[in-house]
């Protein structure tokens, strides 16, 4: 194992379990190992359903709102 990979593992090991699992899935996907689809929690599923409904109603962010959000986060 390379020093950089060891550093990455050490850093990630200090993150919450859910973030560790997410990063592990990404690494496995990048290495060509198929991963099962993520299972949404009931809350995440409800949030996604609401977002889909908002899109269907045409309730989309304006260009200005998107730019403001990116600027707020320094991007």
């Amino acid at each position: 194992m390379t020093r950089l990979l060891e550093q990455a593992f050490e850093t990630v090991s200090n993150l919450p379990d859910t973030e560790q699992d997410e990063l592990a899935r990404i690494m496995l996907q990048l290495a060509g190992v198929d991963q099962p689809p993520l299972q949404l929690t009931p809350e995440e599923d409800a949030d996604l359903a609401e977002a889909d409904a908002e899109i269907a109603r045409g309730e989309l962010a304006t260009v200005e709102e998107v730019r403001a959000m990116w600027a707020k986060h320094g991007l």
Side-chain angles (χ1 to χ4, degrees):
M1 182 182 315
T2 68
R3 180 177 283 213
L4 181 59
L5 188 55
E6 286 179 6
Q7 180 183 0
F9 279 128
E10 183 178 326
T11 302
V12 169
S13 71
N14 294 317
L15 296 173
D17 289 350
T18 55
E19 291 181 39
Q20 289 183 36
D21 286 348
E22 184 176 339
L23 290 169
R25 283 187 199 91
I26 292 168
M27 285 182 60
L28 289 168
Q29 287 175 338
L30 290 172
V33 178
D34 289 332
Q35 294 296 297
L38 293 175
Q39 296 297 312
L40 298 179
T41 65
E43 182 180 271
E44 291 169 331
D45 198 39
D47 287 344
L48 183 57
E50 177 57 28
D52 286 341
E54 289 171 358
I55 292 168
R57 293 190 300 264
E59 297 174 8
L60 304 172
T62 65
V63 171
E64 294 80 20
E65 290 170 328
V66 172
R67 285 188 180 135
M69 186 273 306
W70 286 118
K72 177 180 176 182
H73 296 285
L75 302 171

